[in-house]
Amino acid sequence: MIGGLFIYNHKGEVLISRVYRDDIGEAGLKAEQPIISRSVPKPVSCLKRNAVDAFRVNVIHARQQVRSPVTNIARTSFFHVKRSNIWLAAVTKQNVNATMVFEFLYKMCDVMSAYFGKISEENVKNNFVLIYELLDEILDFGYPQNSETGALKTFITQQGIKSQVPTKEEQSQITSQVTGQIGWRREGIKYRRNELFLDVLESVNLLMSPQGQVLSAHVSGRVVMKSYLSGMPECKFGMNDKIVIDKQGKGGGSEEAAKSGKQSIAIDDCTFHQCVRLSKFDSERSISFIPPDGDYELMRYRTTKDIILPFRVIPLVREVGRTKLEVKVVIKSNFKSSLLAQKIEVRIPTPLNTSGVQLICMKGKAKYKASENAIVWKIKRMAGMKESQISAEIELLPTNDKKKWARPPISMNFEVPFAPSGLKVRYLKVFEPKLNYSDHDVIKWVRYIGRSGIYETRC
Amino acid sequence: MTDSKYFTTTKKGEIFELKAELNSDKKEKKKEAVKKVIASMTVGKDVSALFPDVVNCMQTDNLELKKLVYLYLMNYAKSQPDMAIMAVNTFVKDCEDPNPLIRALAVRTMGCIRVDKITEYLCEPLRKCLKDEDPYVRKTAAVCVAKLHDINAQLVEDQGFLDTLKDLISDSNPMVVANAVAALSEIAESHPNSNLLDLNPQTINKLLTALNECTEWGQIFILDCLANYTPRDDRESQSICERVTPRLSHANSAVVLSAVKVLMKFMEMLPKDLDYYGTLLKKLAPPLVTLLSAEPELQYVALRNINLIVQRRPEILKHEMKVFFVKYNDPIYVKLEKLDIMIRLASQANIAQVLAELKEYATEVDVDFVRKAVRAIGRCAIKVEQSAERCVSTLLDLIQTKVNYVVQEAIVVIKDIFRKYPNKYESVIATLCENLDSLDEPEARAAMIWIVGEYAERIDNADELLESFLEGFHDESTQVQLQLLTAIVKLFLKKPTETQELVQQVLSLATQDSDNPDLRDRGYIYWRLLSTDPVAAKEVVLAEKPLISEETDLIEPTLLEELICHIGTLASVYHKPPSAFVEGSRGVQHKRLPGSAGSGESADSPDTGSAAGVSEAPPAVIPSQGDLLGDLLNLDLTPPTTSGPPPAPSSGMQMGAMDLLGGGLDSLMGDESEPPPVPQRTDTPQSPQLSHQSPSPPDYSPTELGGDLGGSPAMGAGFGAPPTAMPASFPPPVSGGLDDLFDLGGSVGMPMGAYSPPKSIWLPAMKAKGLEISGTFARRAGVIQMEMTLTNKAMSIMTDFAIQFNRNSFGLAPAGPLQVLTPVGPNQSIEVALPLSTVGPVMKMEPLTNLQVAVKNNIDVFYFSSQYPISMLFVEDGKMERQVFLATWKDIPNDNEAQFQIKDCHLNSDAASSKLQGSNVFTIAKRTVEGQDMLYQSMKLTNGIWVLAELRVQAGNPNYTVSLKCRAPEVSQCVFQSYEAMLKN
């Protein structure tokens, strides 16, 4: 299991160091193995320094770009993730579950952000006692324990909501929640107004050839909820999942489904928050759960079929001699004309030896950004079924570089008020048998946002 | 309030100030002070001096302060064990606290204090906490057992904690179950043979129930544990799979991958015609693809695993090629892995798409990535025949870019394409030759030279081209030198008239001016061949080469099986078995996939033997062997037919030796259910299975071969002139060798007595006032004895003898007093035997086996030193299991290998073996290759160090070669000396 966890700043100075196991200290310090296997006790502080230093020297201060997120130095493995300038490194000498270690590091980041916002050197230093207390609780002897922020907040003393000594009942309530089946929600939550916010957030990814052929396209979507519900409500979520609709269609006659005009979508795969009963989903494909309180991500999904591509980019690049390049890019919006796309940005890469750019665009503003080697064309709003165009003349400095310019793809950013996958929420039912409020007392809000993921067209 | 201020105090007298604050009456002030202490601790300042003051703050009701103090304790208790005892009482008291949070905190922290004295006090509180009414305390206590086991395994067993832990698997709380499983799994790993995790259908059922209810981390522990279970039949296997599949939709990638691991493993047991088998295959693809939308680090881990899964079951992802297309913004490590998988998935159906992508990648910026992309194009050509032509033209386009590393990489792969499709694309040679000058990497140069040599007849100025390389012959890397030597010999055989001078030049360069034994030996072989029988030389050197296989870079099947059992873990990321990077006993246990239901054999029956696996198709690729074949091909000595002249003796030998090193044998012996890949070794050029790990024949690694070629002493001795003696005929090639290996069994002769050197004078009379001591060491019936003759050469009687040893390398010490009961008169001598133990104090000596002795009598104290043969220390149970031997041999890095020559020894291998056995050197296996006997031997020293040896004995040759491998290479020299002494005695 995880032998230790370190947090470094960008200079490689240690901000947090928590060692769970002795073995990791010996990293890199053994030039030769002593023949006679009698360990001489060394001060702990000196031992663990070695692992700390090994990582700093070999990874943070390494001259080369990071070639792998897992590094093995002297039979000790280091896992790292980076958040802005901060490095989080988990260290082990065993054959641990690598996926788990990374998941844990991300979770650690989530928990820290939930407590003190952005993970920066300043914030880490400001909260180091809290971080130690958290590490003590969520990682015992290197085994990850309950890491749901909701549950942690009940008994972490640092800046926790509990300042006074909890009563006996509260104590046992805390422990049963932390270890219990529903570790993500505590009992006895009350709201005057029961409210639910449901966001379908999708990011649509595209890779298109210069000729307009879709090389790959997929939507990765998330259903994000905010729930303010009293008690321990039982929720059921339904969407236009093809498998479910087809199943119902068989029972109630497919005409009905066709009549209602509801399109169903084929979901390639989906994953759920741990509150969702997976076995029920597996057998009946119904999504039922007791929600955490507040913000959480209910599910993630991925679709690849029948995706609505909101924009089409048509590039035209012509090299005029060795010192000039003509670029023309047309974008077409491909959705209902009543809808408006926002925050549109087209990024056209330019060669490194660009000396000057002349731009003409029909709509929005365009600028050549030399520091980013790109032309950035921004349009605030654009309705569906429209078309716009930019043309650029790029002047180049003559170079004797043999290698041709790699022509990176043209990328695009945008936001549209619909789900490019075609996903529709059909229902979200709430049952709370013990308290007396019913499903239609709950105020529910649904919103769809489609954003560009990696939306690229090669040119 | 911010904590960062604590980091800034670095004034002098800080410790003193802190001390005062810690002893303050105000709680707030105390808390502040402890925080400052912890800040100093974090940045590496030594604040251990404050130990007593901090511990004083421990007795408080304030949970926050308590946690802080505990944090400090965990860090410094080890350096201040005596002080740590002060904290014990508070811990014990806290373990009884009414607040379960405090009880748990106490037992958790106590486990983290790794001080032996404290562990004794920990037992009672821990026992109570394991049975606590509160689940939070129980789950913490479960982990604490693992902690305690890490400090003192014996104590945990004696106290019966393991049984309590087993009981917790049936606990009502899912988190307690999960932690108990995690703790037991870890403990079981360090006791490979114990039946700790007694997985039976009942416990499995309990685990599967807990799986639905516990936290994401708990689910991972349980799934990883489930993966170690072997279901009894396909029905049980299916029912477990059915209950595990819902986990594939979990948001946590680790849960998903661990579930994939269980499914991949248990699927082996399902009959392939079962409907459920197909359903399961379909269910596996989407979650694997979803993993690719996770964060880059997880993507990397997922891709490394998918690489394994695709090799084991290509059908799962065969339609998902597109998701592995590289994105512009992917980190480089993700890009490289995706590329690897793309090639594995390439097929006729999707090759057009793949090629278009690869061409795109070849224009990127990152050098490694571009190289790999170019190489990938070549691999596609080899894999999908229909695409070969397009690939070649793509590669030619890339060569035209003149980007140095692209050109070099392209040339390396084109050489492989020539090998795969002979006489098809040679028209491009002209283009390649144009780029000769720009090549500066050994691999590319070697490839180009190979091409020139191979097609010398089609290249008009081949001699000029090769000659140009010859100028800087000694500056080239070995790879290039070897290739150049071969190429010029080829050229000579093709155009003998014009190139005689050239060939002589290269032969003399290789044989006379080079220190590299490989090069020298190859030079001699050619020289000899050319001078004795040029026709035969032609047949040998210009033999038709076997085709190379289409699948390259595959992981060897047994390793792959093992890695599949480790999906999700570091082993699957490194693509190495855990034993390769985990120290101690944890890694040695090899996991295996269960046998498939179809073949009807159980994986657990060790006696299935190699015959049982015949029904299965032989594994297509054994890289370690491939390497060898590559090497051999490289020598261009493959006999074209059975009647052809024999290959050089060194090549056969080298194969045998290499094979053991490379692990080919391992796959044989370690995995009984797989058929032995032996036939490949005797490959004739027609063999369709031929393959090699890396697509480049000149993959000749001098370090790997090490001194193996040196094993033919005739060559070494004949330095400076062509060798005079070459064996005329050979026993049938190696196929029989393995059988020899297996039936060695008890054929070892009767053990003779342990070797004991003759007595020598340790202490001359002149130096010791008339006392002369001569002696020797012997191991008799498992007891080390120091046998001495004490001679009194003085005029007076000597009495009151006593003996003492200085500290020494292996802790030798007298097991009893020196038994000299009667006084020794003048000119009288007596014999004494002093039994020795090996539990004395240890200090490394130089030389290692040096022993410093003090002998006292009524006259004075005398000092002398003697050296004991290390064979005294070889214990009786030094016989290693074959499999362990192979695993260990592989596991010990090659740097630790030492090789020695024993000259003038006239024993045959059996006699040598039984002679050595008398001294507790155990022969584990023997095999015969090309008239040479190889004995694989193990011995264990009294302090538990294992030494592995390979002894090579050639009939009629009095010189033996010993290769020793040991984790402590320092002992090798001593062991070798003992070997020599034992054998010559």
Side-chain angles (χ1 to χ4, degrees):
Chain A
M1 281 303 122
I2 298 173
L5 205 135
F6 306 113
I7 301 182
Y8 297 83
N9 66 9
H10 66 287
K11 285 186 238 159
E13 292 165 349
V14 186
L15 303 177
I16 298 285
S17 110
R18 180 76 174 87
V19 175
Y20 294 96
R21 285 156 191 248
D22 285 352
D23 57 357
I24 61 148
E26 293 151 52
L29 103 160
K30 276 193 205 155
E32 55 167 348
Q33 201 140 14
I35 289 196
I36 288 80
S37 44
R38 282 268 160 100
S39 64
V40 189
K42 283 194 185 129
V44 185
S45 53
C46 130
L47 280 179
K48 74 181 173 201
R49 283 288 135 192
N50 288 303
V52 166
D53 295 341
F55 183 76
R56 173 179 33 246
V57 172
N58 289 292
V59 182
I60 301 183
H61 290 171
R63 239 176 265 154
Q64 255 205 330
Q65 186 193 354
V66 176
R67 296 312 261 197
S68 158
V70 187
T71 325
N72 193 310
I73 307 164
R75 292 197 158 215
T76 308
S77 299
F78 295 81
F79 300 78
H80 73 262
V81 300
K82 223 183 145 187
R83 287 285 181 274
S84 63
N85 270 335
I86 297 295
W87 298 73
L88 270 86
V91 188
T92 181
K93 282 216 130 177
Q94 299 181 16
N95 181 31
V96 298
N97 188 324
T99 337
M100 185 185 79
V101 177
F102 279 122
E103 281 285 359
F104 176 78
L105 288 175
Y106 299 137
K107 189 56 133 210
M108 181 73 205
C109 292
D110 290 349
V111 172
M112 289 197 292
S113 329
Y115 269 97
F116 52 78
K118 191 171 171 276
I119 299 172
S120 62
E121 178 170 355
E122 173 123 33
N123 277 345
V124 170
K125 276 186 173 176
N126 282 342
N127 294 285
F128 80 95
V129 180
L130 166 73
I131 296 174
Y132 277 123
E133 193 180 345
L134 282 171
L135 278 177
D136 206 32
E137 200 55 60
I138 61 181
L139 203 56
D140 190 6
F141 198 45
Y143 295 113
Q145 305 290 311
N146 195 332
S147 51
E148 285 296 316
T149 358
L152 286 172
K153 284 200 168 158
T154 57
F155 66 108
I156 289 291
T157 56
Q158 295 291 326
Q159 295 168 19
I161 42 174
K162 300 262 158 167
S163 49
Q164 73 280 45
V165 179
T167 65
K168 193 145 194 236
E169 280 122 58
E170 280 173 322
Q171 285 165 5
S172 68
Q173 202 186 324
I174 290 169
T175 58
S176 76
Q177 193 209 331
V178 173
T179 60
Q181 293 184 21
I182 306 164
W184 54 86
R185 189 182 180 91
R186 61 194 166 90
E187 300 245 12
I189 298 172
K190 282 220 171 67
Y191 286 103
R192 266 179 46 217
R193 207 156 86 127
N194 288 305
E195 223 170 353
L196 256 179
F197 297 86
L198 192 152
D199 286 351
V200 176
L201 306 176
E202 294 196 340
S203 86
V204 50
N205 297 276
L206 169 75
L207 184 62
M208 196 176 248
S209 76
Q211 293 75 33
Q213 188 192 357
V214 177
L215 295 175
S216 75
H218 75 271
V219 167
S220 54
R222 304 186 299 146
V223 177
V224 176
M225 310 242 304
K226 256 183 225 165
S227 58
Y228 303 109
L229 301 172
S230 311
M232 293 297 249
E234 175 78 42
C235 296
K236 212 171 163 189
F237 174 67
M239 55 189 177
N240 56 342
D241 179 0
K242 194 163 193 289
I243 297 174
V244 178
I245 303 269
D246 287 358
K247 217 192 270 173
Q248 288 174 347
K250 259 179 227 156
S254 56
E255 270 174 53
E256 199 186 333
K259 221 189 280 167
S260 62
K262 268 181 197 159
Q263 285 278 313
S264 61
I265 63 160
I267 291 177
D268 286 31
D269 188 37
C270 46
T271 59
F272 296 100
H273 185 269
Q274 59 168 324
C275 65
V276 175
R277 292 186 187 88
L278 293 179
S279 36
K280 211 156 183 191
F281 178 76
D282 196 55
S283 56
E284 304 162 25
R285 228 177 151 85
S286 72
I287 302 166
S288 64
F289 55 99
I290 294 174
D293 195 38
D295 293 5
Y296 60 99
E297 185 181 288
L298 179 70
M299 75 180 275
R300 278 178 187 234
Y301 55 92
R302 185 167 47 81
T303 71
T304 45
K305 290 202 186 75
D306 304 322
I307 295 171
I308 310 160
L309 295 170
F311 285 94
R312 164 89 207 272
V313 177
I314 306 158
L316 202 76
V317 181
R318 206 161 66 93
E319 284 175 46
V320 189
R322 285 189 55 103
T323 56
K324 207 170 151 191
L325 212 59
E326 278 180 15
V327 181
K328 199 171 100 175
V329 177
V330 181
I331 58 167
K332 286 182 177 169
S333 58
N334 179 29
F335 45 88
K336 258 193 263 169
S337 51
S338 57
L339 297 173
L340 272 181
Q342 291 182 53
K343 300 176 190 164
I344 301 148
E345 184 184 292
V346 181
R347 186 171 278 266
I348 305 161
T350 56
L352 296 176
N353 56 337
T354 303
S355 62
V357 177
Q358 271 109 50
L359 293 165
I360 308 167
C361 59
M362 287 160 55
K363 217 176 164 193
K365 280 179 189 160
K367 227 184 202 171
Y368 165 60
K369 295 195 172 167
S371 59
E372 296 165 33
N373 286 312
I375 299 165
V376 180
W377 176 26
K378 285 184 181 169
I379 305 171
K380 272 193 187 138
R381 252 173 243 105
M382 186 164 170
M385 309 314 276
K386 288 263 163 47
E387 188 176 312
S388 189
Q389 181 182 321
I390 185 171
S391 43
E393 270 185 28
I394 302 169
E395 274 160 45
L396 305 174
L397 291 170
T399 57
N400 46 11
D401 197 0
K402 268 190 203 159
K403 206 182 160 212
K404 260 176 43 182
W405 175 48
R407 283 204 190 176
I410 296 175
S411 58
M412 224 191 138
N413 288 317
F414 54 80
E415 200 178 292
V416 289
F418 60 89
S421 69
L423 181 130
K424 290 265 166 18
V425 177
R426 289 172 59 216
Y427 57 81
L428 179 66
K429 293 177 192 152
V430 180
F431 310 96
E432 167 56 66
K434 284 188 197 145
L435 303 173
N436 64 16
Y437 68 92
S438 70
D439 182 37
H440 41 253
D441 295 334
V442 180
I443 306 160
K444 302 170 190 166
W445 307 84
V446 180
R447 176 166 69 159
Y448 297 90
I449 300 174
R451 291 199 184 97
S452 52
I454 295 164
Y455 203 85
E456 293 176 340
T457 307
R458 289 186 178 151
C459 56
Chain B
M1 181 195 72
T2 65
D3 293 348
S4 60
K5 60 175 187 267
Y6 304 118
F7 280 89
T8 53
T9 51
T10 47
K11 310 184 288 277
K12 263 191 188 170
E14 180 196 354
I15 298 270
F16 185 75
E17 255 174 50
L18 282 174
K19 211 178 176 87
E21 284 175 41
L22 282 172
N23 291 318
S24 146
D25 296 334
K26 288 189 193 123
K27 241 186 207 161
E28 272 311 305
K29 205 157 195 185
K30 261 190 191 174
K31 213 190 292 174
E32 294 290 289
V34 179
K35 281 189 186 180
K36 275 186 210 164
V37 172
I38 288 169
S40 309
M41 190 174 89
T42 302
V43 294
K45 254 181 266 171
D46 186 15
V47 283
S48 55
L50 295 167
F51 201 92
D53 308 284
V54 178
V55 171
N56 273 338
C57 303
M58 194 171 159
Q59 282 167 333
T60 167
D61 309 333
N62 186 314
L63 196 57
E64 187 186 351
L65 183 57
K66 210 178 234 341
K67 282 189 177 179
L68 291 172
V69 175
Y70 279 3
L71 194 62
Y72 176 90
L73 270 176
M74 281 185 265
N75 239 317
Y76 282 113
K78 206 167 182 192
S79 55
Q80 310 248 346
D82 297 327
M83 300 274 229
I85 296 288
M86 300 184 347
V88 163
N89 265 335
T90 322
F91 276 126
V92 176
K93 219 171 76 197
D94 282 353
C95 285
E96 313 252 326
D97 197 280
N99 185 345
L101 291 174
I102 292 190
R103 290 203 297 276
L105 180 66
V107 78
R108 184 168 68 210
T109 314
M110 235 171 141
C112 296
I113 296 179
R114 307 170 57 86
V115 175
D116 283 341
K117 286 179 196 160
I118 287 207
T119 49
E120 293 162 24
Y121 298 97
L122 180 56
C123 291
E124 277 321 301
L126 178 58
R127 200 186 311 282
K128 268 186 213 147
C129 289
L130 279 168
K131 303 225 156 96
D132 201 284
E133 51 172 20
D134 194 290
Y136 184 73
V137 182
R138 286 201 303 275
K139 74 113 184 162
T140 313
V143 176
C144 191
V145 176
K147 294 178 188 168
L148 191 59
H149 186 270
D150 198 35
I151 307 169
N152 190 341
Q154 196 57 45
L155 186 71
V156 171
E157 276 164 48
D158 295 347
Q159 296 278 334
F161 284 139
L162 293 182
D163 294 324
T164 326
L165 203 53
K166 276 191 213 166
D167 294 341
L168 287 185
I169 291 190
S170 319
D171 199 279
S172 58
N173 185 292
M175 193 154 174
V176 178
V177 178
N179 275 3
V181 167
L184 274 175
S185 302
E186 185 171 346
I187 294 171
E189 225 173 274
S190 52
H191 294 280
N193 297 322
S194 69
N195 205 13
L196 253 184
L197 259 175
D198 179 25
L199 294 176
N200 53 45
Q202 285 78 41
T203 40
I204 291 293
N205 200 26
K206 279 175 198 155
L207 293 182
L208 285 168
T209 315
L211 185 63
N212 286 326
E213 295 166 354
C214 62
T215 65
E216 42 192 335
W217 313 114
Q219 294 184 18
I220 301 168
F221 303 148
I222 291 179
L223 286 169
D224 284 351
C225 173
L226 273 179
N228 291 326
Y229 176 65
T230 310
R232 287 163 307 170
D233 50 31
D234 50 328
R235 238 191 281 137
E236 189 185 5
S237 182
Q238 179 175 345
S239 82
I240 296 176
C241 286
E242 279 166 359
R243 292 176 72 177
V244 167
T245 29
R247 298 297 121 200
L248 293 176
S249 309
H250 202 284
N252 188 316
S253 319
V255 176
V256 176
L257 259 187
S258 291
V260 168
K261 166 164 58 191
V262 175
L263 296 175
M264 281 294 285
K265 197 176 165 191
F266 289 7
M267 246 167 106
E268 298 286 330
M269 296 190 65
L270 299 178
K272 288 211 164 62
D273 44 5
L274 196 71
D275 283 345
Y276 182 70
Y277 179 83
T279 326
L280 201 53
L281 274 185
K282 272 191 211 119
K283 278 193 175 171
L284 276 171
L288 289 174
V289 174
T290 300
L291 291 176
L292 297 183
S293 45
E295 290 82 348
E297 289 87 359
L298 278 174
Q299 275 187 51
Y300 173 73
V301 177
L303 285 164
R304 292 293 282 175
N305 280 288
I306 288 172
N307 200 330
L308 299 173
I309 293 168
V310 164
Q311 286 183 57
R312 182 76 195 169
R313 297 198 178 276
E315 62 271 34
I316 295 179
L317 288 166
K318 66 180 172 204
H319 299 302
E320 303 287 348
M321 170 62 94
K322 277 187 178 178
V323 297
F324 297 103
F325 284 178
V326 169
K327 290 183 193 137
Y328 190 70
N329 294 328
D330 282 337
I332 182 66
Y333 48 82
V334 169
K335 284 185 178 174
L336 292 172
E337 291 308 316
K338 279 188 174 172
L339 202 50
D340 241 354
I341 294 169
M342 278 173 66
I343 302 162
R344 295 215 191 285
L345 291 177
S347 66
Q348 205 182 328
N350 55 24
I351 192 74
Q353 261 186 330
V354 173
L355 261 184
E357 282 292 311
L358 291 176
K359 204 174 167 185
E360 198 76 34
Y361 303 160
T363 59
E364 285 238 20
V365 249
D366 190 283
V367 177
D368 283 350
F369 181 60
V370 171
R371 281 172 179 275
K372 203 164 183 177
V374 175
R375 205 167 270 228
I377 296 173
R379 277 165 69 180
C380 283
I382 291 166
K383 195 171 174 194
V384 186
E385 189 164 356
Q386 291 79 0
S387 74
E389 199 157 342
R390 292 223 318 264
C391 295
V392 172
S393 73
T394 311
L395 288 170
L396 284 178
D397 285 351
L398 290 171
I399 289 178
Q400 297 305 344
T401 62
K402 304 274 179 198
V403 178
N404 180 293
Y405 52 86
V406 173
V407 173
Q408 310 212 40
E409 210 59 52
I411 286 180
V412 173
V413 287
I414 285 181
K415 176 210 61 203
D416 289 333
I417 296 175
F418 285 170
R419 284 288 307 282
K420 170 80 180 177
Y421 309 110
N423 303 319
K424 231 174 156 179
Y425 301 109
E426 281 77 0
S427 52
V428 306
I429 290 176
T431 324
L432 302 186
C433 289
E434 286 166 22
N435 292 288
L436 209 61
D437 300 333
S438 63
L439 307 180
D440 53 10
E441 288 161 23
E443 201 181 354
R445 284 172 86 86
M448 192 64 218
I449 292 170
W450 182 87
I451 292 172
V452 174
E454 187 66 22
Y455 301 101
E457 67 272 23
R458 304 190 200 192
I459 305 169
D460 294 335
N461 58 344
D463 49 341
E464 284 170 34
L465 294 177
L466 292 176
E467 200 173 354
S468 67
F469 282 102
L470 212 51
E471 283 161 19
F473 187 77
H474 288 297
D475 302 329
E476 300 282 1
S477 73
T478 313
Q479 189 184 10
V480 181
Q481 290 177 331
L482 287 167
Q483 210 45 253
L484 195 52
L485 172 62
T486 306
I488 291 179
V489 172
K490 280 184 194 165
L491 174 69
F492 170 70
L493 289 168
K494 287 174 179 171
K495 301 178 179 172
T497 46
E498 309 130 55
T499 56
Q500 205 154 2
E501 213 174 289
L502 195 62
V503 80
Q504 267 170 2
Q505 203 182 340
V506 77
L507 285 176
S508 80
L509 276 172
T511 52
Q512 285 167 19
D513 301 340
S514 167
D515 296 334
N516 184 325
D518 291 342
L519 187 62
R520 226 165 46 213
D521 286 358
R522 200 190 280 194
Y524 282 127
I525 292 165
Y526 284 143
W527 197 328
R528 185 83 191 140
L529 258 177
L530 293 172
S531 60
T532 46
D533 189 354
V535 181
K538 203 160 188 170
E539 267 183 82
V540 171
V541 178
L542 301 181
E544 201 177 304
K545 267 159 283 298
L547 292 181
I548 55 175
S549 93
E550 46 190 52
E551 283 295 346
T552 47
D553 276 352
L554 284 188
I555 292 174
E556 187 246 332
T558 35
L559 177 61
L560 181 63
E561 284 197 14
E562 191 181 347
L563 292 180
I564 290 283
C565 299
H566 288 292
I567 283 180
T569 67
L570 267 178
S572 73
V573 176
Y574 295 144
H575 287 186
K576 283 180 190 158
S579 53
F581 58 93
V582 176
E583 273 166 12
S585 58
R586 289 179 196 280
V588 178
Q589 199 180 7
H590 286 279
K591 293 190 181 179
R592 294 185 36 201
L593 290 174
S596 81
S599 69
E601 61 177 270
S602 147
D604 294 326
S605 64
D607 298 325
T608 33
S610 50
V614 173
S615 58
E616 265 172 66
V621 176
I622 314 277
S624 52
Q625 274 189 339
D627 248 354
L628 283 178
L629 286 166
D631 292 339
L632 192 64
L633 294 172
N634 203 25
L635 280 167
D636 283 319
L637 285 166
T638 327
T641 53
T642 42
S643 64
S650 59
S651 66
M653 229 168 56
Q654 164 199 337
M655 281 169 87
M658 273 298 294
D659 199 18
L660 184 78
L661 302 178
L665 255 178
D666 182 31
S667 63
L668 269 180
M669 302 179 76
D671 183 359
E672 290 93 340
S673 70
E674 292 285 344
V678 189
Q680 297 207 344
R681 198 155 332 117
T682 60
D683 253 337
T684 53
Q686 290 80 25
S687 164
Q689 298 166 348
L690 250 180
S691 56
H692 54 91
Q693 185 178 30
S694 143
S696 48
D699 222 359
Y700 200 92
S701 142
T703 48
E704 245 179 289
L705 283 173
D708 282 332
L709 281 174
S712 58
M715 298 274 186
F719 177 69
T724 47
M726 291 274 270
S729 69
F730 292 90
V734 225
S735 57
L738 283 158
D739 300 344
D740 294 353
L741 196 65
F742 280 112
D743 59 27
L744 181 82
S747 72
V748 188
M750 286 295 291
M752 302 188 283
Y755 159 74
S756 161
K759 279 187 181 172
S760 57
I761 292 179
W762 285 340
L763 184 68
M766 283 176 45
K767 280 194 179 170
K769 300 184 180 171
L771 175 67
E772 187 193 72
I773 302 180
S774 62
T776 183
F777 294 90
R779 189 179 180 94
R780 300 198 196 279
V783 180
I784 306 169
Q785 294 198 341
M786 185 162 157
E787 295 171 349
M788 289 178 287
T789 309
L790 309 178
T791 311
N792 183 352
K793 293 197 171 171
M795 305 304 285
S796 55
I797 294 174
M798 293 180 181
T799 55
D800 300 330
F801 283 93
I803 193 164
Q804 214 166 14
F805 293 174
N806 195 358
R807 288 194 285 171
N808 55 70
S809 312
F810 293 93
L812 284 177
L818 191 62
Q819 299 282 337
V820 185
L821 300 173
T822 50
V824 185
N827 273 330
Q828 205 184 349
S829 58
I830 67 159
E831 302 269 345
V832 279
L834 175 72
L836 304 183
S837 71
T838 52
V839 293
V842 171
M843 183 176 76
K844 190 180 171 186
M845 298 296 290
E846 192 57 46
L848 205 58
T849 52
N850 196 7
L851 182 65
Q852 294 178 334
V853 184
V855 171
K856 190 191 95 157
N857 62 8
N858 55 338
I859 300 168
D860 205 339
V861 184
F862 309 107
Y863 303 94
F864 64 89
S865 69
S866 65
Q867 281 190 39
Y868 47 92
I870 203 165
S871 57
M872 295 303 109
L873 303 171
F874 295 164
V875 295
E876 275 66 30
D877 62 345
K879 184 160 188 169
M880 233 182 207
E881 288 296 326
R882 281 178 188 166
Q883 296 182 16
V884 182
F885 180 88
L886 281 160
T888 319
W889 184 278
K890 266 178 45 179
D891 192 32
I892 298 175
N894 279 339
D895 298 348
N896 285 13
E897 185 173 347
Q899 203 173 51
F900 303 96
Q901 290 268 334
I902 299 174
K903 295 223 166 83
D904 294 325
C905 191
H906 297 277
L907 294 168
N908 68 22
S909 59
D910 287 346
S913 159
S914 59
K915 201 157 192 176
L916 290 170
Q917 173 136 17
S919 298
N920 293 338
V921 176
F922 297 96
T923 303
I924 289 167
K926 172 189 165 187
R927 61 184 189 140
T928 309
V929 180
E930 318 274 279
Q932 200 185 33
D933 288 337
M934 316 246 205
L935 301 177
Y936 297 102
Q937 301 175 320
S938 75
M939 56 222 97
K940 186 175 146 191
L941 302 183
T942 45
N943 60 353
I945 292 179
W946 284 92
V947 182
L948 311 186
E950 182 202 47
L951 183 66
R952 274 184 258 164
V953 183
Q954 194 161 21
N957 184 340
N959 294 346
Y960 293 359
T961 309
V962 177
S963 303
L964 295 172
K965 265 194 161 188
C966 178
R967 289 195 202 277
E970 294 92 318
V971 303
S972 297
Q973 181 66 33
C974 301
V975 173
F976 160 63
Q977 285 164 356
S978 283
Y979 251 88
E980 192 158 45
M982 288 182 284
L983 285 170
K984 290 193 180 167
N985 179 257

